[in-house]
Amino acid sequence: MRKVLIVFVLILLCVLSQAFCIDRMGFGADVASVQDIFLGHGSFQIDLDLRTMVSDEFQIRIPMALTMNQASFLFESGVALVYYPWHTGPFMGLSVFQFGFSKGSGNLENVISLNEVTVGWSFEFGPGLFIEPSIVIRDPSGTFSDEYSRIKGEFPCYTTFRARLLFGWYFWR
């Protein structure tokens, strides 16, 4: 099932890039996930995203995150719209929709609605490589406060504010 989902997402991004004449597509991985191990929360989270530029100022991302402890896990995905006001450097992202799928937890429902706001800065270097420090604010409006409190009870590393350091590569330029 996961392989089918990954292939579907990659095909969707390729079709979108051809339909909208997109010239940049890539991915990012959160290397700041190491903080969960050193802080000893008892749970661990890793974040990845697929991204494509739809204009000089806007990017569409498909974020994927896996949060786990010894007994259960939470997989998140959705679509986020990211705005670069000066075409590069600072950015702000907002999840258009985001869902979490849990397994092995008695406290969480199988499907959970989520939302996030991201603020950060993108530094590009080398042939398509980038580093992106950012801060993620989960449920900034408080709309899903019950869901987030249950997630935080199950996974101690799942905090309202999360520092991320994405390292990535634009493989389609």
Side-chain angles (χ1 to χ4, degrees):
M1 181 64 176
R2 282 184 260 167
K3 291 178 184 177
V4 172
L5 180 64
I6 291 170
V7 169
F8 174 75
V9 167
L10 288 174
I11 290 172
L12 177 66
L13 284 175
C14 289
V15 168
L16 286 174
S17 68
Q18 293 301 313
F20 294 105
C21 300
I22 295 169
D23 60 348
R24 289 176 53 172
M25 189 181 321
F27 68 90
D30 181 14
V31 294
S33 296
V34 176
Q35 67 190 337
D36 296 335
I37 296 169
F38 290 121
L39 294 176
H41 287 295
S43 60
F44 179 77
Q45 181 176 11
I46 186 161
D47 298 285
L48 305 167
D49 70 35
L50 297 171
R51 53 184 62 199
T52 186
M53 296 297 288
V54 293
S55 74
D56 286 340
E57 297 174 332
F58 288 98
Q59 187 179 75
I60 293 178
R61 294 184 186 178
I62 300 174
M64 294 171 279
L66 180 65
T67 307
M68 60 189 135
N69 59 21
Q70 293 182 357
S72 58
F73 71 89
L74 173 68
F75 174 76
E76 303 171 47
S77 189
V79 172
L81 182 63
V82 179
Y83 174 60
Y84 288 86
W86 295 285
H87 309 291
T88 185
F91 66 88
M92 185 181 128
L94 176 65
S95 60
V96 178
F97 66 87
Q98 188 172 348
F99 293 98
F101 306 95
S102 69
K103 182 149 176 124
S105 171
N107 298 333
L108 300 174
E109 299 172 14
N110 289 339
V111 180
I112 303 164
S113 296
L114 305 167
N115 66 357
E116 294 180 346
V117 171
T118 305
V119 178
W121 199 286
S122 188
F123 299 96
E124 293 189 25
F125 62 95
L129 298 174
F130 64 89
I131 291 179
E132 243 176 40
S134 62
I135 299 289
V136 176
I137 306 162
R138 294 176 169 145
D139 195 28
S141 63
T143 307
F144 303 110
S145 59
D146 291 339
E147 287 89 342
Y148 278 96
S149 64
R150 285 192 296 248
I151 293 171
K152 290 174 187 176
E154 185 73 24
F155 305 105
C157 72
Y158 204 93
T159 57
T160 302
F161 296 93
R162 180 160 177 95
R164 288 187 182 152
L165 180 63
L166 287 164
F167 177 77
W169 175 49
Y170 288 109
F171 55 83
W172 186 324
R173 290 180 68 92

